[in-house]
Amino acid sequence: MKISDSEYAKVLQQAVSEIQTARITIARQVNSTVNSAYWNIGKLLFDKNLESRHGSGVVKLLSVDLKEQFPDMGLSPRNLWDMKRFYKRYNVCVPKLR
């Protein structure tokens, strides 16, 4: 079966559009999942009542151990504290599931 050049151009354009849409969808899903993981880590630190004074050693050790397993992620002590602060600030905005 043979198709015209213009028909082929339409097929190519549709295929490119599908791939671009899929890539955007995947990027959004990955971003949402990473945000969820950061939210949950912040909640974990919040729930354990870790504070910068007496919990800094725990957070530093946690950072070292997490970076060992996930070297490509930003899991510095500062980022972990930021996750906790983010959770603490915005957890009141999230409806509680009962």
Side-chain angles (χ1 to χ4, degrees), residues 9-97:
K10 287 178 186 177
V11 170
L12 176 60
Q13 182 182 12
Q14 288 174 329
V16 167
S17 177
E18 287 296 326
I19 291 169
Q20 288 173 333
T21 299
R23 284 182 169 183
I24 290 168
T25 300
I26 290 167
R28 285 182 179 148
Q29 289 173 342
V30 167
N31 190 42
S32 176
T33 302
V34 169
N35 286 340
S36 179
Y38 288 173
W39 175 269
N40 290 332
I41 291 169
K43 181 181 185 322
L44 175 67
L45 297 175
F46 179 83
D47 289 347
K48 295 297 179 187
N49 293 320
L50 294 175
E51 298 297 333
S52 59
R53 291 179 298 278
H54 63 274
S56 63
V58 173
V59 171
K60 285 179 186 175
L61 181 59
L62 183 62
S63 172
V64 168
D65 289 339
L66 287 172
K67 284 194 279 186
E68 187 176 301
Q69 292 192 35
F70 308 101
D72 296 336
M73 293 181 69
L75 297 165
S76 68
R78 180 182 176 137
N79 285 348
L80 294 173
W81 287 120
D82 287 345
M83 291 174 206
K84 180 190 176 218
R85 276 190 290 278
F86 180 77
Y87 176 82
K88 184 178 179 181
R89 179 172 293 163
Y90 294 104
N91 75 18
V92 296
C93 300
V94 177
K96 305 289 187 231
L97 299 175

